[in-house]
Amino acid sequence: MKKNGTGSLKYHIGSCKKNPSNVVDTSQGQLVLPRKGVEGGEGNLSTWRFDQEACRKGLAQMILIDELPFKFVESEGFKKFMFVACPRFHIPSRTTMTRDAYQLYLDERVKIKQLLRSSCSRVCLTTDTWTSLQRVNYLCITAHFIDNDWKLNKKILNFCPISSHKGESIGMVIEKCLLNWGIDKLFTVTVDNASSNDVAIGYLRKKFTPRGGLVQNGKYLHMRCMAHIVNLIVVEGLKEMNKSVERVRGLLDMWNSTYLMLDTAQNFERAFERFEEQDTNFKFELERERLNSNIDFNVMAIKMKEKYDKYWGDIDKMNLLMFVACVLDPRQKLKYLEFTLSEMSSSEKACEMMQKLKESLYELFDEYKPPLHGTCSQSSVSTHVSIGEPQQKMKR
């Protein structure tokens, strides 16, 4: 038996043609003009019709892209705006928005897994670890790979707390992450120069070599972060200028970044000059530092060179893939690299580096030859190809 209530009134409001919310015909799309600066908004004309689920998904994307709090959907200003822009849209609660954002993550995860499965390339990883103010250790793992359309992809695979910064703990977390994503082919892992990362790379090399997922049994797996090395070199040089830096910091306090502090100090050069006129001791200190500046800079350069040689002075400590990338670049090739190395070091050292580089090129060619030429006869391709004349030797 049907009970009396407000159900009939609710049905009437939803179907009444005089209701302003029901004026728009949802069965027919509206023309949308192309918009610049909006992803997917450039190009030809498109059609639009109201879709509650599509609006919720777009709202979740906005929350994530603009890094807004989930409670933003419950703010008074946003509610007023949506009432004007799209009164038919039912604004979800912060709890519903949290679920929608997590669903976006699950959907993107499926897409990335499919992309990794369909891509025939190897994956390069970069890792970064740090400790928060709450003394919690975190690890971020980013994957770089080239898909079948020759497009470079950069995807964050994991951002998680870790038990410690010990190398084996980091290696275990990376291994678990790769297994969850179904990644078994690694090319390089870029890490900073902490000794714990050497242990982590050794752990990954031991685990992935039996699976056949590494190039040359992990010979090129360890890639030292170039930005971190440059930072170490600069910090080593600034140690010799600590007194000068401390003086500037004393005048411009509350700076966390040394570079930003010194860059700002240059803009206040005239203020320093006036301070010089009013404080004779300040002028005396500047004059003394000016007279000693050449010596200080010489010592600073020597210290920076020592730090440079520690990481880049010996070819045995460098990952040769950086040189291989230069050789494969059509703008540089082998001759340019040979010229550059001869300018940077002695002729004997340059010859040694070039010999090792050529050996690495042959090894990499042999590594990739079976999948590339599996249908060809062995006599059609020679592995010992002259590097200077690859087209004449390999042309059939």
Side-chain angles (χ1 to χ4, degrees):
M1 180 178 179
K2 188 176 181 180
K3 297 182 179 180
N4 297 328
T6 59
S8 58
L9 179 60
K10 181 179 179 181
Y11 173 78
H12 175 73
I13 292 176
S15 60
C16 181
K17 295 183 179 180
K18 293 186 178 181
N19 187 343
S21 300
N22 300 329
V23 173
V24 180
D25 184 7
T26 57
S27 63
Q28 183 177 2
Q30 297 178 337
L31 286 178
V32 178
L33 296 175
R35 296 183 180 181
K36 294 182 178 181
V38 179
E39 184 179 354
E42 300 181 2
N44 300 325
L45 288 173
S46 60
T47 58
W48 174 89
R49 61 171 56 91
F50 175 76
D51 187 333
Q52 174 70 21
E53 295 302 319
C55 290
R56 276 180 52 179
K57 183 177 180 180
L59 180 58
Q61 290 174 338
M62 182 191 73
I63 293 293
L64 296 176
I65 293 174
D66 295 337
E67 299 181 357
L68 299 172
F70 292 122
K71 67 179 182 179
F72 174 80
V73 297
E74 298 178 353
S75 62
E76 195 66 25
F78 177 71
K79 290 180 179 179
K80 289 183 178 180
F81 169 75
M82 289 307 302
F83 180 77
V84 175
C86 188
R88 301 179 60 202
F89 177 58
H90 177 69
I91 301 177
S93 65
R94 69 175 72 182
T95 305
T96 303
M97 189 50 46
T98 303
R99 291 198 298 266
D100 290 350
Y102 183 67
Q103 186 61 45
L104 280 179
Y105 161 75
L106 296 178
D107 295 341
E108 289 298 318
R109 181 183 176 88
V110 172
K111 293 179 183 178
I112 296 176
K113 272 193 171 183
Q114 293 175 348
L115 180 62
L116 289 169
R117 192 180 301 113
S118 62
S119 175
C120 62
S121 66
R122 296 181 181 271
V123 175
C124 296
L125 299 180
T126 58
T127 66
D128 192 15
T129 58
W130 69 94
T131 303
S132 67
L133 295 176
Q134 293 77 24
R135 309 302 299 174
V136 179
N137 303 314
Y138 288 97
L139 171 66
C140 182
I141 305 174
T142 306
H144 310 262
F145 60 95
I146 298 176
D147 58 25
N148 293 333
D149 296 325
W150 291 93
K151 179 182 177 182
L152 179 62
N153 292 265
K154 175 185 176 183
K155 306 293 183 182
I156 295 179
L157 300 183
N158 203 357
F159 182 90
C160 62
I162 54 178
S163 59
S164 69
H165 288 287
K166 293 182 179 180
E168 188 167 343
S169 299
I170 296 175
M172 293 175 64
V173 173
I174 297 176
E175 180 192 17
K176 182 179 178 180
C177 174
L178 295 177
L179 293 177
N180 289 336
W181 282 95
I183 299 174
D184 56 1
K185 291 184 178 181
L186 283 180
F187 198 23
T188 62
V189 180
T190 302
V191 294
D192 61 31
N193 297 280
S195 58
S196 59
N197 284 324
D198 297 339
V199 179
I201 294 297
Y203 176 88
L204 293 174
R205 186 181 287 115
K206 180 179 64 175
K207 291 293 183 178
F208 280 87
T209 296
R211 304 170 188 171
L214 304 180
V215 177
Q216 290 292 305
N217 295 326
K219 181 179 180 180
Y220 308 103
L221 183 64
H222 192 178
M223 181 71 72
R224 297 183 182 274
C225 179
M226 186 176 297
H228 187 244
I229 294 176
V230 173
N231 179 69
L232 292 175
I233 295 173
V234 173
V235 170
E236 188 69 23
L238 287 177
K239 287 181 180 179
E240 300 300 323
M241 306 296 291
N242 264 344
K243 292 183 178 179
S244 300
V245 173
E246 289 174 359
R247 290 189 181 98
V248 177
R249 187 181 297 278
L251 295 171
L252 302 172
D253 202 358
M254 299 178 64
W255 286 90
N256 293 325
S257 171
T258 302
Y259 167 76
L260 293 177
M261 178 191 67
L262 296 176
D263 184 59
T264 303
Q266 290 184 343
N267 297 328
F268 291 94
E269 184 176 357
R270 293 185 178 180
F272 280 95
E273 291 176 355
R274 186 167 184 178
F275 190 33
E276 173 189 344
E277 296 174 357
Q278 298 178 0
D279 192 334
T280 56
N281 291 329
F282 181 78
K283 179 179 179 180
F284 174 77
E285 291 293 330
L286 286 179
E287 184 66 16
R288 189 179 67 167
E289 291 299 326
R290 187 186 67 82
L291 295 175
N292 295 331
S293 61
N294 290 336
I295 299 176
D296 292 337
F297 278 115
N298 287 336
V299 175
M300 181 176 66
I302 293 173
K303 293 293 184 180
M304 295 176 70
K305 184 63 167 55
E306 291 175 354
K307 184 66 70 171
Y308 175 91
D309 292 337
K310 178 180 179 181
Y311 296 103
W312 288 333
D314 188 355
I315 190 173
D316 294 327
K317 298 180 180 179
M318 301 176 66
N319 194 320
L320 292 179
L321 288 181
M322 293 190 296
F323 297 111
V324 172
C326 294
V327 174
L328 298 179
D329 191 333
R331 300 167 298 179
Q332 299 177 5
K333 300 185 179 179
L334 194 64
K335 288 296 182 181
Y336 177 78
L337 185 60
E338 186 175 0
F339 167 77
T340 303
L341 292 177
S342 62
E343 291 291 319
M344 295 173 56
S345 58
S346 63
S347 58
E348 294 80 6
K349 190 69 175 178
C351 291
E352 177 188 355
M353 296 176 72
M354 289 303 301
Q355 181 61 33
K356 291 186 177 181
L357 177 58
K358 290 180 180 179
E359 293 174 358
S360 298
L361 286 169
Y362 290 135
E363 291 174 354
L364 289 173
F365 180 82
D366 290 336
E367 184 84 17
Y368 282 88
K369 182 185 64 174
L372 291 178
H373 305 283
T375 58
C376 301
S377 61
Q378 291 293 331
S379 60
S380 63
V381 179
S382 174
T383 58
H384 298 287
V385 179
S386 174
I387 300 297
E389 302 176 349
Q391 295 181 350
Q392 290 78 3
K393 293 288 185 179
M394 296 181 64
K395 186 175 180 181
R396 296 184 63 187

